[in-house]
Every structure is written in C-alpha cells, then in structure tokens.
Amino acid sequence: MNRTESFTGETLRVVRGTRSGVAIAVAIHSTARGPAIGGCRIKAYPSWRDGADDALRLSAAMTMKCALAGLPHGGGKTVAALPAEGWDPARRPGLIADLAEAIAALGGRYRTGPDIGTTSEDMAEIHRLEHGWAFCRPEEQGGSGTSSAATARGVLAALQAGVSPGSVAGLRVGVIGFGSVGRLICQSLLERGAQVVVTDVDGGLRPLAERLGATWTTADLVREPLDVLVPAATGGLLTAESAAACGASLIVGPANNQIADEDVATVLRDRGITWIPDVVASAGGIIHAVGREELGMDEAAANARIDAIADTTSAVLAHARERGLTTVQAARELAAAG
Ligand code: PHE
C-alpha cells in the first residue's frame, strides 16, 4: 500500500477500542466548509497503519466530493482496522460502541455514515449511544436509510453524461463488485438495454446476477474490451499496469479511491480512456443523506440534486479537455473554485 506522503488534513486520531481491542482511525481532512462527513469502514488491514493511511486518503477524497456536490461539509473518514489474521465477530457490538465513542470524542467536527462493513443499523446504534452524529439510520428511526440507491442513481447520472449524447442501450458494460450498490447499477443498466458482465470475489452471488440477466465472469474485467467499466468494489483497482492494459473506453463507478496514484489518471488520459473521478460519480449517497437529514429536502428534491451529478460530470470532462488536464486535476480545480 502506498504511504500518504504529506499530512494535508486537520486531525488524525487513532485509538484502540477499549471493548474490542481494534485500532480505530478517525481522520478529519477539512472543516473549512462545515463539519466533516464520511463513512465508517470496518475492514481487515495488514496493519493499523494501513488502516490509518486509508482513513487519511479517503477523508481527503471526501473533502473534494462534498465541495463538488456543493454540500456545506468537509471530508472525514473512520476506519476500524481489523486484524488481518481474523477476528471474533462476537466482539462486533463492542466495536460499534468503541466507534461511537471515538467519533463523539471529536465533539461534532465529524459526522459519520455507513460504508464498507457497516450498515444503517450500525448508524442507529452509534446515534443511540453518542450524541447522534451518524447519518443514514433506518427510515423508521428518523434517518434517511441506506444510501445505496442514491449512490447507484448518481453513478448512472455520471455514466449517462459520460456516454452523452449516446445512450446506454446496447453498450457492453463490465461491473466489478456485486455488492449493494453494484447490483442496483447492474439492474438499471439492464433495464436500459445494456449488456452487463459482472464479477465479484464472492462467487456465491453468481445466481443472483444471472437472475437479473447479467453475465457472470471470473475474468479480469479491467482488461476486457468494454464500452464502460464500472468499479464497484474496494479502491485501488487502477494501477499504472492495469491502466496500461485497460480495455474500456469509459470508467465510472461508485468505488472510492479507484486510482492507486495520480499518475494512473495520466496514463488513462494519454490512452484516450475517459475516467470519471470517483469523487464526482459516487456523491449520490452523501447528497441524499445530507439533503434529507439536514437540508430539509424531500425525496424528489434530493433525487434532482443527485441527477445534477450529470452536470458536474460534464463540467469536469469539459474542463479537462479544454485545459489538457487529467479528469482528477480538473475535478480538483472545480472543487477549489466552487
Ligand atoms: N459511504 C458514504 C461516503 O463516505 C458514507 C456516508 C453517507 C457518509 C452519508 C455521510 C453521509 O461517502
């Protein structure tokens, strides 16, 4: 894993949960626009330092994501770094309590939400235990619910902008990751007449994918000839090598931190592959959560705001084209200007 070179954030707090013994890193990248927001990830890492690094990188991406989405927030992230050698799931309730305590210790400068390894129910528990700084509790409990549908909707808006003025019908699309967001994207693409090929590390999901009408593969979809590649699994999919071998014309998906480093964006640009940065494409979840829970939007207003990701996408692609920038450089410039 690449180490973060310079510390550009505001706060990095690492604690060992007193109940779970798990290392928890809470990173606040920026509160310049408002309280930091970003998901809470529970995942195994080779070491706690890798978990802290992930929190730093992901929190910086959240700052850009919030700015590009026009939200009054900055970026943060929480990572619970489970030991790589395994962990007793019976300790999970203790870990959630440890997470609540770690987040509450920041006194409201950071609010969390669901991410890889956490659910709306976990957010409800965090909310119940400490001060309520968690988005996306179940709707019955006053939250805005899981953000998966909103995230998928935003990715589809970005994808549509990326193929514009063409249509999705007939396109060959490869989706990597058949989790909660990946499967909703597959479903919508199939409904719109795309040919969808899916892969996931969990082969047990194959029947579900096939029932939707997708084709299952164990091939490396990055290398397959595709119109669109949708990264919907964990980050770091695109390295200098995989970008050099990438067979897609357009890459757009909900996974966070898709490129291993910024040189990858240059490789993609030079090869004529359009990469819509994850900070643009994956904003549907936070737009929905903040819109519903803080900005007083109803469902229709939140959806309209999510659909506007298409306009942000077009603006980023146009800016990159005009200035000869990579799409991530273009996104950064627009984020700073907004
Ligand atoms: N996974 C989402 C993100 O980090 C989590 C989130 C949703 C955070 C809603 C805050 C509000 O983008």
Side-chain angles (χ1 to χ4, degrees):
M1 218 176 249
N2 291 325
R3 288 260 177 259
T4 305
E5 294 301 330
S6 58
F7 183 50
T8 59
E10 289 178 16
T11 307
L12 173 65
R13 196 165 171 274
V14 183
V15 293
R16 204 165 85 87
T18 50
R19 304 162 187 85
S20 61
V22 170
I24 296 169
V26 187
I28 295 181
H29 181 259
S30 171
T31 54
R33 295 174 62 91
I37 60 171
C40 176
R41 186 167 286 204
I42 301 181
K43 190 172 163 280
Y45 287 87
S47 83
W48 69 270
R49 286 169 203 272
D50 295 303
D53 259 334
D54 220 13
L56 287 173
R57 259 194 308 269
L58 291 161
S59 67
M62 288 304 295
T63 297
M64 242 166 95
K65 191 148 102 169
C66 289
L68 287 162
L71 298 176
H73 289 286
K77 206 85 184 188
T78 301
V79 168
L82 299 181
E85 62 274 13
W87 189 67
D88 178 5
R91 301 177 80 176
R92 200 170 183 284
L95 176 56
I96 298 297
D98 287 339
L99 284 163
E101 192 175 286
I103 290 161
L106 292 156
R109 287 174 60 226
Y110 164 71
R111 301 176 190 174
T112 198
D115 204 272
I116 292 167
T118 54
T119 62
S120 289
E121 285 69 31
D122 295 329
M123 295 307 114
E125 185 61 3
I126 291 174
H127 179 92
R128 190 182 70 78
L129 290 168
E130 297 274 6
H131 302 78
W133 290 311
F135 287 95
C136 301
R137 286 171 294 139
E139 286 166 89
E140 320 81 78
Q141 297 186 39
S144 59
T146 152
S147 57
S148 304
T151 304
R153 187 180 181 108
V155 170
L156 287 157
L159 191 155
Q160 182 57 60
V163 302
S164 164
S167 105
V168 170
L171 294 184
R172 191 172 144 81
V173 185
V175 179
I176 300 180
F178 199 65
S180 54
V181 179
R183 70 187 70 164
L184 290 170
I185 294 172
C186 284
Q187 205 171 346
S188 296
L189 289 170
L190 288 160
E191 280 163 11
R192 295 177 195 198
Q195 274 174 267
V196 181
V197 193
V198 192
T199 189
D200 193 288
V201 286
D202 180 359
L205 296 171
R206 179 176 185 153
L208 190 58
E210 289 180 341
R211 229 174 298 138
L212 283 183
T215 306
W216 186 268
T217 184
T218 52
D220 179 6
L221 280 177
V222 176
R223 285 153 207 272
E224 294 285 306
L226 294 167
D227 296 305
V228 187
L229 176 68
V230 179
T234 42
L237 177 75
L238 299 165
T239 60
E241 298 78 57
S242 68
C246 179
S249 320
L250 173 70
I251 305 175
V252 51
N256 286 311
N257 290 2
Q258 290 166 22
I259 56 170
D261 60 61
E262 290 220 6
D263 295 343
V264 177
T266 309
V267 175
L268 293 170
R269 178 197 62 189
D270 294 349
R271 295 196 58 223
I273 299 170
T274 304
W275 174 59
I276 300 175
D278 36 25
V279 289
V280 178
S282 70
I286 52 164
I287 294 172
H288 184 260
V290 172
R292 292 302 311 270
E293 296 187 31
E294 283 189 346
L295 304 178
M297 290 182 187
D298 62 12
E299 200 61 23
N303 281 339
R305 185 81 177 255
I306 294 166
D307 292 342
I309 288 178
D311 304 326
T312 311
T313 302
S314 303
V316 167
L317 296 183
H319 190 65
R321 221 170 18 243
E322 282 155 20
R323 305 286 163 92
L325 301 172
T326 66
T327 49
V328 65
Q329 288 165 337
R332 189 175 302 113
E333 288 196 4
L334 294 189

